[in-house]
Amino acid sequence: MLDREIAELRDDILERWIEGIIEGYPEETAQFLRSQPDRFANPVGASLRDGLAEILDGVLEGTEPSALVSALDRAIRVRAVQDFEPSAAVGFVFDLKRLVRDVAGEGDEGSLLELDRRIESLGLCAFDVYMRCREEMWKIRAREIRNQSVGIMERVAEWREGREKNSEKSPQS
């Protein structure tokens, strides 16, 4: 585990991190995310808070980024659907470096450098998660378009078939 001093400041770091992310949303959305603690009324806020807490704990404990994919997914999935730019969708991970220094101060340089390395590795993993979420979203959209197109083509075929039957029944001049 990293320097005890940093670990003891976990709650303060987490709250500042969450607030920084919420500030990136439009004012009305940010107000809702801040004020609605009910996880059923505000599943996005709850998912974000839970994911960030797990990510921060993992970073402080030295957990490999691959073991934090589920937590990253909870924090990033909504941002991927909301069409955040990739840098904005995953940039919050890198903000953690500045937050730790702001809260912990100078601290042990070796511990801070190790923490930076972990956060950078996590940021790369976060980008992979973002891209997987975007790919899933585009696959869903493509499937919906294909299904709509097939439905339209089936209706056109039925319409033609009906016209052909009607023209066969009609006396010709």
Side-chain angles (χ1 to χ4, degrees):
M1 184 180 246
L2 288 176
D3 186 35
R4 260 184 219 228
E5 198 173 296
I6 294 173
E8 288 173 1
L9 299 169
R10 176 221 184 251
D11 293 341
D12 189 24
I13 294 168
L14 180 61
E15 284 310 309
R16 288 182 188 204
W17 199 23
I18 291 168
E19 185 57 32
I21 292 169
I22 289 174
E23 286 175 2
Y25 284 92
E27 184 56 38
E28 189 174 306
T29 304
Q31 192 61 28
F32 177 77
L33 291 172
R34 280 185 199 104
S35 65
Q36 183 53 265
D38 183 355
R39 70 176 39 260
F40 296 106
N42 183 5
V44 171
S47 182
L48 181 66
R49 288 177 188 283
D50 293 347
L52 292 177
E54 187 176 335
I55 292 166
L56 180 58
D57 290 341
V59 167
L60 294 176
E61 293 168 3
T63 304
E64 286 297 315
S66 59
L68 298 172
V69 167
S70 175
L72 283 166
D73 187 86
R74 288 194 304 273
I76 292 171
R77 181 164 296 273
V78 171
R79 298 168 78 80
V81 172
Q82 293 174 330
D83 288 329
F84 275 81
E85 291 291 323
S87 59
V90 300
F92 71 91
V93 173
F94 298 102
D95 292 341
L96 187 55
K97 289 167 62 171
R98 178 188 45 78
L99 283 170
V100 168
R101 281 176 166 69
D102 288 351
V103 173
E106 294 302 313
D108 173 37
E109 191 59 30
S111 292
L112 291 173
L113 289 174
E114 173 61 20
L115 184 67
D116 286 349
R117 187 196 61 74
R118 291 178 190 173
I119 293 169
E120 289 164 2
S121 294
L122 187 68
L124 295 174
C125 188
F127 184 74
D128 291 341
V129 169
Y130 173 83
M131 291 307 298
R132 276 195 296 275
C133 290
R134 294 293 291 181
E135 287 172 14
E136 286 176 29
M137 185 182 70
W138 284 110
K139 285 178 183 177
I140 291 168
R141 286 181 180 173
R143 191 171 35 247
E144 287 174 1
I145 290 169
R146 186 180 61 240
N147 290 343
Q148 288 175 352
S149 298
V150 167
I152 290 169
M153 296 301 287
E154 288 172 348
R155 287 191 292 280
V156 167
E158 290 171 4
W159 176 76
R160 281 187 178 161
E161 200 174 283
R163 282 191 76 196
E164 289 172 1
K165 285 182 183 178
N166 285 339
S167 66
E168 290 172 3
K169 292 181 183 177
S170 308
Q172 297 183 358
S173 338

